[in-house]
Amino acid sequence: MTTILKLGGSVITEKDQPETVDEATLEQVVDAVVDAYEPGKFVVVHGGGSFGHHHAAKHGYSKTDGTRNATAVTDVHRAMSVLNDAVVDAFQARDVAAVPVSPLSVARRDAAATLSFPADGVETALDEGFLPVVQADPIVQEGAGATILSGDEIVVTLGESLGANRVGLCSTVPGVLDAEGNVIPEIDDFDEVASVLGESDSTDVTGGMAGKVQSLLALSAPAAIFDPAALGPFLRGEDVGTVVDG
Amino acid sequence: MTTILKLGGSVITEKDQPETVDEATLEQVVDAVVDAYEPGKFVVVHGGGSFGHHHAAKHGYSKTDGTRNATAVTDVHRAMSVLNDAVVDAFQARDVAAVPVSPLSVARRDAAATLSFPADGVETALDEGFLPVVQADPIVQEGAGATILSGDEIVVTLGESLGANRVGLCSTVPGVLDAEGNVIPEIDDFDEVASVLGESDSTDVTGGMAGKVQSLLALSAPAAIFDPAALGPFLRGEDVGTVVDG
């Protein structure tokens, strides 16, 4: 059983305060992971929240619109690395051998925007008993300079490469909600939910729930979307939130 | 013409003061590179100096002795990233689109300690007009946890992958010195110089001149070792320092 777990940027940061970790929630989710942790069997991915998004928005680039401004790249990357350090430190403080992974140094998109993320290093880290903690990050893209790689994209590509059979996205909401505000238990086709998902939040350069669901439908394994309260139950094997299964 | 240039850790840091950049020398060498700079044709690599070595020594790991202590990994990696930021900033201040590359996220050694460093990301960065600035860093190694990847090793492996035809190592000495203290103009076999190179400096976890020469002999292209005063002439195509040509 290999688990890949994404901690949403909005979950572990104060989204309305620039570059501020939500320490209480970070501790809560890290405690839940540590309770279920087996060395070599877990990968953690995290989004940007108030660390990455405002820098990317300020510099006018996103998952799809590139920049050739190196300062735009380093502003986002460095802010994301500060957040990554906080996540890594929280695990190390609980005696879990967490190490950082920065996609800027390993991933790229080709001219057709197809992502490649060689997973050999992450696999070796797992084999050696480390917990890879992978940040959302700028990456280079042929013909476009640099674009943003979202945590959701990392989950899909690494989850596939590693053959992860448990995929979870810990979000600020308890799942994908229908028009009445109830959690939709399962989604296996985007058209089923397109009407309720609508457009992405304009302040989120990496795409909101619609983009998340579309990405997860492309993954072989089913993926669950849930909130921090459901993380423990998810890791114990319970059905929680919304399961996206393309 | 693709140039790969290593800035020695001892050149750009105050080696006797922990985690202190030698600002004057850093400015001098960056100015020399900027004078010769062509986008897409340069890669800069740097060593650890007073940023990386003391952390690695404190935690008791090196190029060949591994650690499974994640804090040992992050202590060295974070210190190296601070130095990398200083180098990147110096280039960006001169309008060169420098971006960081951290081997921890991309390189690994297998169980036979054979290094792999996929160069696709660096190649895309070059194609997009960025200057990759690659730091010496801890990397994962099968069966050993993590070991140190030196700047010299990065020069050899990336120089080979990228087909670099101009390879330079900017060091604190004007070249490899013979028993009388004169620069040896060319070395094409280690045995020629083994008697004068002796042992590595014990405080340098990544190997001193002997290791440097041995690494460079494995590279297809000739590589020059020289001091900062000779960097400008080297980049203008002059013969400087010691040329190692295996």
Side-chain angles (χ1 to χ4, degrees):
Chain A
M1 174 77 82
T2 296
T3 299
I4 186 163
L5 174 69
K6 184 199 160 196
L7 304 177
S10 305
V11 170
I12 58 172
T13 72
E14 303 282 359
K15 196 145 188 178
D16 298 328
Q17 288 179 276
E19 296 176 41
T20 307
V21 175
D22 180 340
E23 298 283 356
T25 308
L26 178 61
E27 305 262 308
Q28 178 194 340
V29 296
V30 168
D31 280 337
V33 175
V34 171
D35 281 346
Y37 183 67
E38 287 180 82
K41 301 294 184 190
F42 272 77
V43 173
V44 168
V45 176
H46 65 83
S50 64
F51 285 79
H53 292 176
H54 71 105
H55 287 295
K58 183 185 74 183
H59 287 294
Y61 74 120
S62 68
K63 284 204 313 187
T64 49
D65 293 319
T67 182
R68 286 199 169 78
N69 177 351
T71 305
V73 174
T74 49
D75 280 357
V76 173
H77 170 70
R78 290 178 188 177
M80 288 305 304
S81 298
V82 171
L83 177 57
N84 185 272
D85 286 352
V87 179
V88 165
D89 286 348
F91 280 107
Q92 287 190 3
R94 288 155 178 83
D95 293 325
V96 169
V99 293
V101 177
S102 161
L104 176 58
S105 294
V106 60
R108 58 186 285 280
R109 299 189 214 267
D110 67 16
T114 302
L115 173 64
S116 65
F117 192 134
D120 294 359
V122 170
E123 285 174 5
T124 302
L126 289 171
D127 289 345
E128 294 303 308
F130 293 114
L131 170 64
V133 178
V134 189
Q135 68 193 43
D137 219 13
I139 60 171
V140 289
Q141 176 168 336
E142 268 182 52
T147 50
I148 300 292
L149 178 67
S150 73
D152 294 340
E153 290 176 290
I154 297 168
V155 165
V156 171
T157 188
L158 270 189
E160 205 67 41
S161 305
L162 301 172
N165 35 16
R166 190 162 57 177
V167 179
L169 284 84
C170 184
S171 181
T172 48
V173 289
V176 181
L177 306 182
D178 66 17
E180 284 76 45
N182 300 311
V183 172
I184 302 169
E186 184 159 350
I187 297 172
D188 55 21
D189 186 280
F190 189 74
D191 291 340
E192 290 173 23
V193 291
S195 61
V196 296
L197 292 181
E199 293 298 309
S200 301
D201 179 338
S202 62
T203 64
D204 182 345
V205 293
T206 58
M209 193 60 85
K212 196 185 301 289
V213 169
Q214 281 181 310
S215 300
L216 295 175
L217 284 166
L219 187 61
S220 305
I225 300 173
F226 49 82
D227 65 11
L231 176 56
F234 168 75
L235 291 171
R236 290 192 294 272
E238 297 176 25
D239 281 335
V240 295
T242 298
V243 175
V244 180
D245 192 358
Chain B
M1 173 77 81
T2 296
T3 299
I4 187 163
L5 174 70
K6 184 199 160 197
L7 303 177
S10 305
V11 170
I12 58 172
T13 72
E14 303 282 359
K15 196 144 185 178
D16 298 328
Q17 287 179 275
E19 297 176 41
T20 307
V21 175
D22 180 341
E23 298 282 356
T25 308
L26 177 61
E27 305 262 308
Q28 177 194 341
V29 295
V30 168
D31 280 337
V33 174
V34 171
D35 281 345
Y37 182 68
E38 287 179 82
K41 300 295 184 188
F42 272 77
V43 173
V44 168
V45 175
H46 65 83
S50 64
F51 284 80
H53 292 176
H54 71 105
H55 287 295
K58 183 185 75 185
H59 287 294
Y61 75 119
S62 67
K63 281 203 317 187
T64 49
D65 293 319
T67 182
R68 285 198 171 79
N69 177 351
T71 304
V73 174
T74 48
D75 280 357
V76 173
H77 170 70
R78 291 177 187 178
M80 288 305 304
S81 298
V82 171
L83 177 57
N84 186 272
D85 286 352
V87 179
V88 165
D89 286 347
F91 280 107
Q92 287 189 2
R94 288 158 179 81
D95 293 324
V96 169
V99 293
V101 178
S102 161
L104 176 58
S105 294
V106 59
R108 59 186 285 278
R109 297 188 214 268
D110 67 16
T114 302
L115 173 65
S116 65
F117 192 134
D120 294 0
V122 170
E123 285 174 6
T124 302
L126 289 172
D127 290 344
E128 294 304 307
F130 293 114
L131 170 65
V133 177
V134 191
Q135 68 193 42
D137 218 14
I139 60 172
V140 289
Q141 177 168 335
E142 269 182 50
T147 50
I148 300 292
L149 178 67
S150 73
D152 295 340
E153 290 176 289
I154 297 168
V155 165
V156 171
T157 188
L158 270 189
E160 205 68 40
S161 304
L162 301 172
N165 35 16
R166 189 161 60 175
V167 179
L169 284 84
C170 184
S171 181
T172 48
V173 289
V176 182
L177 306 181
D178 66 18
E180 283 77 45
N182 300 310
V183 172
I184 301 169
E186 185 160 349
I187 297 172
D188 55 20
D189 186 280
F190 189 73
D191 291 341
E192 289 171 24
V193 292
S195 61
V196 297
L197 291 181
E199 293 297 310
S200 300
D201 179 338
S202 62
T203 63
D204 182 344
V205 292
T206 57
M209 193 60 84
K212 197 185 301 290
V213 169
Q214 282 183 310
S215 299
L216 295 176
L217 283 166
L219 187 61
S220 306
I225 301 172
F226 50 81
D227 65 10
L231 176 55
F234 167 75
L235 292 171
R236 288 192 295 272
E238 297 176 26
D239 280 335
V240 295
T242 298
V243 175
V244 180
D245 191 359

